[in-house]
Amino acid sequence: MRHLLSAADLDRAGAVEVLDVAARMAATQQREIKKLPTLRGRTVVNLFFEDSTRTRISFEAAAKRLSADVINFTARGSSVSKGESLKDTALTLEAMGADAVVVRHSASGAPHRLATAGWIRGAVINAGDGTHEHPTQALLDAFTLRRHLVGEDASGADLAGQTVAIVGDVLHSRVARSNVLLLHTLGARVVLVAPPTLLPVGVGRWPCATSYDLDGVLAGDVAGPLDAVMMLRVQGERMNAAYFPSRREYSRRYGLDARRLRLLPPHAIVMHPGPMNRGLEISAEAADSPRSTIVEQVSNGVAVRMAVLFLLLSAASGPASGPATEIAKEIVP
Amino acid sequence: MTAPGHHLLRGVRPLGGDPTDLLLRDGLIVEAGRGLAAAGARVIDGDGLVALPGLVDLHTHLREPGREDAETVETGTRAAALGGFTAVHAMANTEPVADTAGVVEQVWRLGREAGWTDVRPVGAVTVGLRGERLAELGTMADGAAAVRVFSDDGRCVGDPVLMRRALEYVKAFDGVIAQHPQDPRLTDGAQMHEGDVSAVLGLAGWPAVAEESIIARDVLLAEHVRSRLHLCHVSTAGSVEIIRWAKGRGIAVTAEVTPHHLLLTDEEVRSYDPVFKVNPPLRTADDVRALREALADGTIDVVATDHAPHAGEDKDCEWADAAEGMTGLETALSVVQATMLDTGLLDWAGIACRLSAAPARIGRVTGQGRPLAVGEPANVVLIDPAARRRVDPSAMATTGRNTPYRGRELPGAVVATFYRGHPTVCDGALATRREES
C-alpha cells in the first residue's frame, strides 16, 4: 500500500495489520516517554483545506511521537475561492520534500487527485475528503470496537460476528462510507439507520443493511442484537434543504436518548466520531454514559494514525528484509 | 498540369458501397462513375476509403469571443476539418453571449475568414442565457448569419412559459429551440450521475429524472404549440423512452446524442479525473445501450459532439472545481464507428444520415448534408475504416487537451476532407483553408 485514500484500499490482512500495529503503538503511549525514533528525518505535511482541529492535532501528535518533522499547511478555500490551486500547493510540497501528505479537503476525491495526478511522489493519507471517505476514522473506530468487543489482547483478530449500527446523515458522511467498507472487510455486520432522505441513491449496493427504524434496530428486531451503535453528526442546517422537517423531529426519530440507550444490550457500546451536536443526534445521557467510548476514540485515533504513518513510510523505503509488522516488533518491542 | 480546385477521387466507396470515381470541380460534384478521365484534375487514390458527405455538427463550443485561451474559431474549425466536418454550429455561451445580431455575425464572419468549415452561429434563446426574457431571435435570424438554431446550452430554459413562447416565436422564421434539458433545482451542486457510483464516491448526484422531466414537459409544450423542438445531448434510457413516445404521437421533436455518451459510463469517474466531468454526466451501461439502440432506430436523430475545450487549469484540479466538458471533434467519427458501425447497429449510410443529413436538415443548413451525387456541393469526407490510431491530445488541432480518450485506441481515420471542393485535410493532415472566391 502506497497511499491510504479509501478504506477499500485495505484487505482483511492489511486492516488487521494496522490494528495490530496500532495496539503496539498504543502500548508505547502508556510509557512515560512517549516518543519513538522511528520516523526521524522524515517529513509529514498536514495539508488542511478545511478546518478540522481535532483531526489535524491527532495526526500531528502521531507524527511527532514517531519523531517525524511535521509541517502544518492550512490552506483556506481552494482554487475556486481564489486560493492557490491544489496542483500548485502539491508542487510546493513536493519541492519541500514531503514524505507523506495528510490531506483534508472539502472536495470528494481531492486526495485521490493528489496521489494519482503525478504532482507529488510522497504517500498520501486521506484525512477526510468531502462526502467521500475518512479511512483513519474508520480504522480508529474498528480499533475501539475490537478493544471493547474482542478484548485488549486481540492481536490478529477481526470483527467477525459483531453487529454495528451507524445512525444519521449517511448521505453526507465520509465516516459512514469508510466504516461500512472497513467493518465489512473485518467481518462485522453493519446496519445503516437514517431517514430515507439521508441515505444515498445506490446504497442498496453497499455491503450492509439499511433501516429507517431506529427503535427496531436498537431493540435487535432488524439486524439482531447490536454490539455497538455509532451516531453520526447531523448538521441542523440540513433541514433547510428539506432533508428533514425540523431539528426537533430529527432528534425525536433518530436521536440517541436515555430511553433508546436502554434498548441496547448491556455490553453494547456507544460511539460518535465527534464533534457532537448534543441534543440533536445524541443526548447528554447517551454521550456521557459509561458505555460511551467517545473520548477513548480520540486517544485511539493517535495510535491508529501512528500505525498508518509508520506502515506507509516504512513500506515506502524500509528494508526489503521483512513485512512491516516484523519491523514494528523490532521498533516497538 | 493539374487545375486548382479539380479533384478526382479514384475508387472511393460512397456510403460504404461499391467503388466509384467522383470528380470535384468548382465546388461541386460534376461527374460520378467508374473510370473517369482525370482531365487535369489532381487524382486522389481512394482505394479502400469510404466517402461520406461532409459531417455537420449541431453542437460545438468554439469559445470565441471570450475564452480564446480555450479555443478560437480558427483552432476549433481546424479540429472540425480534421474530424471530417464541413459545417459546425457554434454554441451561444460565449463571453459576451451570442444573444445579439452583432455577436452572432462576428462569429459567422470569423468562420468565413477561417475557411475550414461553415460556421453556423447558434443564437441564445434568452438575454445573457439568464432565462428571464427572450433575446432578439428574429434579428439574429434575419441578419447575415441567418441563425436558425437557438439554444441557451449550458443552461436549461427552465421557465415553462418562456420556453413555450420561444417555441412559438421561432416558427415565424423556421427556427428551432435546442433545449439543454436539465432541471436546475434537481441538479443544484450536482457532480455526476446519481447512482451506485456516486453513492460510493461521495459526489453529489445528478439524477436522470432532472433530464427526463424537462424533456417530458418540453415535448408536450412542442405538441401544444405545434413547434419544432430539438433536444441537446440526450443521455438517459428514460429520455429515450419519452422521445420515442413523443415521435409516436407525431410531435416535431429531434434529439442528439454525443459520442462520449455512446461509449463511456460513470465508472470512469472512479478515477476522479476531471477529464470525465461533463454535462450531462456520463451515465450507466444500461443508458449507453439504450442510446445506441435509439440512434440505430432513429429515435435519436443525430450525433452531435458537444465539443467543449477547456483551458488546462480548468481541468487540472479537484473534481468539484473542474469545468464540465470534453473535446470531441477529432474523435467523433471514430467513436461512432466503434460504437455503432463495428457493433453492426448502423451502416455507413446510417452514419451519414446521423452525422450529416439529419443535422443539416435540423439546422436548416443549405449546401450541407446532401447526397454524394452529380450537381451537389462537393462536401466530402474520405475515411479509412481499417485504420487504428491511439489518441494523443497533444497532437490535436483543438486548443483543448481534455479528450477523455487519451491513450485509447480507436478505429478509423479521416484521410481527406473536401469543403466545397477544397481539400482542407489531405493524407490525414490539415491542408489549406478555403479562400473566399
Side-chain angles (χ1 to χ4, degrees):
Chain A
M1 186 173 66
R2 225 170 85 56
H3 307 288
L4 182 61
L5 306 176
S6 161
D9 294 343
L10 296 163
D11 59 11
R12 182 192 169 281
V16 169
E17 181 180 36
V18 175
L19 301 187
D20 289 351
V21 174
R24 293 169 185 280
M25 295 293 182
T28 68
Q29 298 310 296
Q30 308 303 317
R31 300 178 193 164
E32 195 172 342
I33 310 244
K34 296 183 170 60
K35 199 159 176 140
L36 303 169
T38 319
L39 295 182
R40 198 158 49 204
R42 314 298 290 276
T43 301
V44 174
V45 175
N46 286 322
L47 176 58
F48 277 58
F49 288 88
E50 191 181 70
D51 285 333
S52 174
T53 308
R54 52 173 58 220
T55 303
R56 185 181 60 72
I57 61 176
S58 180
F59 270 105
E60 184 171 355
K64 284 182 168 166
R65 286 179 192 172
L66 292 169
S67 302
D69 295 320
V70 178
I71 299 171
N72 288 315
F73 193 117
T74 305
R76 288 298 293 146
S78 59
S79 52
V80 239
S81 53
K82 296 191 181 68
E84 191 178 46
S85 75
L86 182 64
K87 178 180 180 174
D88 288 326
T89 305
L91 295 176
T92 302
L93 300 180
E94 177 66 13
M96 288 175 183
D99 296 295
V101 178
V102 176
V103 61
R104 162 69 68 106
H105 202 291
S106 59
S108 298
H112 202 283
R113 282 293 278 165
L114 268 184
T116 57
W119 301 329
I120 55 171
R121 282 168 293 183
V124 176
I125 299 169
N126 181 359
D129 62 328
T131 54
H132 177 222
E133 285 212 42
H134 194 356
T136 60
Q137 177 70 43
L139 283 164
L140 78 87
D141 290 336
F143 184 83
T144 306
L145 285 164
R146 192 173 79 161
R147 260 203 166 174
H148 280 268
L149 302 176
V150 183
E152 289 279 337
D153 182 25
S155 182
D158 60 15
L159 295 172
Q162 308 295 336
T163 302
V164 181
I166 302 175
V167 184
D169 184 358
V170 175
L171 179 64
H172 300 97
S173 175
R174 48 197 173 209
V175 175
R177 281 176 180 74
S178 287
N179 263 302
V180 167
L181 291 168
L182 185 73
L183 298 182
H184 172 74
T185 297
L186 288 169
R189 282 162 53 83
V190 179
V191 54
L192 299 175
V193 188
T197 46
L198 292 176
L199 286 171
V201 169
V203 75
R205 299 286 292 271
W206 290 10
C208 61
T210 57
S211 172
Y212 311 138
D213 174 13
L214 180 56
D215 283 340
V217 168
L218 294 175
D221 299 339
V222 176
L226 294 186
D227 299 293
V229 59
M230 185 184 300
M231 305 307 295
L232 299 173
R233 179 179 169 82
V234 173
Q235 292 179 17
E237 313 85 71
R238 298 283 180 215
M239 65 183 245
N240 298 327
Y243 287 106
F244 48 84
S246 68
R247 296 168 61 97
R248 191 173 354 167
E249 175 159 321
Y250 182 87
S251 181
R252 197 178 288 137
R253 292 179 62 84
Y254 294 99
L256 187 65
D257 56 15
R259 177 186 67 80
R260 289 196 168 116
L261 202 56
R262 289 193 295 274
L263 296 176
L264 283 170
H267 74 281
I269 60 172
V270 171
M271 307 174 77
H272 193 297
M276 288 182 282
N277 287 307
R278 283 175 187 254
L280 181 52
E281 73 267 7
I282 192 164
S283 71
E285 294 95 319
D288 302 330
S289 81
R291 46 171 88 212
S292 162
T293 60
I294 295 166
V295 176
E296 187 194 326
Q297 283 169 268
V298 176
S299 54
N300 290 343
V302 176
V304 159
R305 286 165 181 135
M306 287 172 78
V308 168
L309 284 168
F310 169 75
L311 289 168
L312 282 177
L313 290 177
S314 63
S317 66
S321 57
T325 358
E326 296 307 310
I327 308 162
K329 281 177 190 155
E330 287 164 27
I331 293 164
V332 193
Chain B
M1 184 71 191
T2 58
H6 297 198
H7 292 86
L8 179 64
L9 315 184
R10 179 79 79 193
V12 298
R13 296 162 48 213
L15 309 185
D18 294 333
T20 189
D21 301 346
L22 296 174
L23 185 64
L24 317 182
R25 194 169 63 215
D26 301 328
L28 297 175
I29 301 171
V30 293
E31 280 189 70
R34 298 234 53 172
L36 297 184
R42 182 173 157 203
V43 178
I44 310 281
D45 176 15
D47 186 34
L49 303 184
V50 170
L52 300 185
L55 308 183
V56 178
D57 193 9
L58 260 183
H59 195 144
T60 318
H61 295 276
L62 294 177
R63 302 294 187 218
E64 190 176 5
R67 284 308 299 266
E68 290 81 357
D69 57 328
E71 192 82 290
T72 62
V73 173
E74 173 74 24
T75 59
T77 53
R78 283 174 177 238
L82 279 167
F85 291 88
T86 52
V88 297
H89 287 76
M91 272 299 170
N93 63 339
T94 49
E95 300 167 27
V97 170
D99 58 2
T100 62
V103 178
V104 294
E105 279 161 34
Q106 179 194 357
V107 173
W108 177 76
R109 185 176 50 74
L110 287 167
R112 282 172 64 100
E113 288 168 6
W116 297 102
T117 66
D118 283 356
V119 172
R120 300 271 305 172
V122 174
V125 178
T126 66
V127 174
L129 308 176
R130 283 192 293 272
E132 292 162 358
R133 56 194 179 89
L134 289 183
E136 291 185 349
L137 309 179
T139 310
M140 291 189 269
D142 293 342
V147 175
R148 289 295 176 272
V149 181
F150 298 91
S151 182
D152 276 1
D153 179 64
R155 301 205 196 152
C156 183
V157 181
D159 180 337
V161 175
L162 199 58
M163 186 63 185
R164 174 203 167 140
R165 298 290 180 234
L167 286 166
E168 287 177 303
Y169 191 76
V170 298
K171 286 202 284 188
F173 36 87
D174 197 22
V176 64
I177 303 297
Q179 172 70 296
H180 171 113
Q182 178 193 353
D183 185 300
R185 287 284 294 138
L186 282 170
T187 52
D188 187 25
Q191 296 292 324
M192 69 171 294
H193 172 70
E194 184 167 34
D196 294 344
V197 181
S198 66
V200 170
L201 296 184
L203 289 171
W206 189 312
V209 63
E211 173 174 310
E212 293 154 4
S213 59
I214 294 292
I215 289 179
R217 182 198 76 177
D218 286 355
V219 295
L220 292 172
L221 282 174
E223 178 177 48
H224 182 58
V225 299
R226 300 184 171 279
S227 292
R228 283 207 291 151
L229 166 70
H230 179 73
L231 297 165
C232 296
H233 42 56
V234 166
S235 70
T236 78
S239 296
V240 165
E241 286 301 306
I242 298 165
I243 295 163
R244 195 171 276 139
W245 172 85
K247 287 191 164 186
R249 280 172 73 92
I251 298 170
V253 59
T254 55
E256 70 190 34
V257 62
T258 70
H260 45 271
H261 287 108
L262 291 172
L263 182 63
L264 305 174
T265 70
D266 60 347
E267 291 292 329
E268 302 285 355
V269 184
R270 291 187 193 273
S271 67
Y272 285 107
D273 185 341
V275 81
F276 297 109
K277 186 172 178 181
V278 66
N279 178 348
L282 299 177
R283 304 286 187 181
T284 69
D286 286 342
D287 294 303
V288 167
R289 199 173 307 117
L291 292 168
R292 290 182 185 186
E293 285 167 6
L295 185 64
D297 72 18
T299 302
I300 293 176
D301 305 79
V302 165
V303 175
T305 66
D306 198 4
H307 175 79
H310 286 292
E313 65 271 19
D314 293 330
K315 284 290 193 182
D316 221 359
C317 56
E318 309 86 301
W319 180 278
D321 288 353
E324 293 158 345
M326 339 179 131
T327 63
L329 287 168
E330 290 165 82
T331 46
L333 194 54
S334 288
V335 173
V336 172
Q337 182 181 335
T339 56
M340 300 302 294
L341 187 98
D342 295 351
T343 54
L345 288 166
L346 279 181
D347 56 14
W348 284 111
I351 289 176
C353 176
R354 286 17 166 226
L355 277 153
S356 182
R361 189 181 66 242
I362 293 164
R364 302 293 193 249
V365 190
T366 53
Q368 298 276 356
R370 301 294 305 162
L372 295 175
V374 172
E376 296 289 354
N379 292 311
V380 186
V381 54
L382 301 183
I383 302 149
D384 178 3
R388 311 281 305 179
R389 64 196 176 109
R390 198 163 291 283
V391 177
D392 175 6
S394 66
M396 288 184 167
T398 173
T399 307
R401 293 289 167 263
N402 51 307
T403 172
Y405 313 112
R406 174 199 301 269
R408 207 183 261 257
E409 194 182 82
L410 292 177
V414 171
V415 175
T417 306
F418 292 88
Y419 168 45
R420 296 199 224 167
H422 177 85
T424 52
V425 174
C426 265
D427 298 324
L430 272 180
T432 56
R433 72 182 75 243
R434 177 180 178 276
E435 306 287 347
E436 282 291 321
S437 53

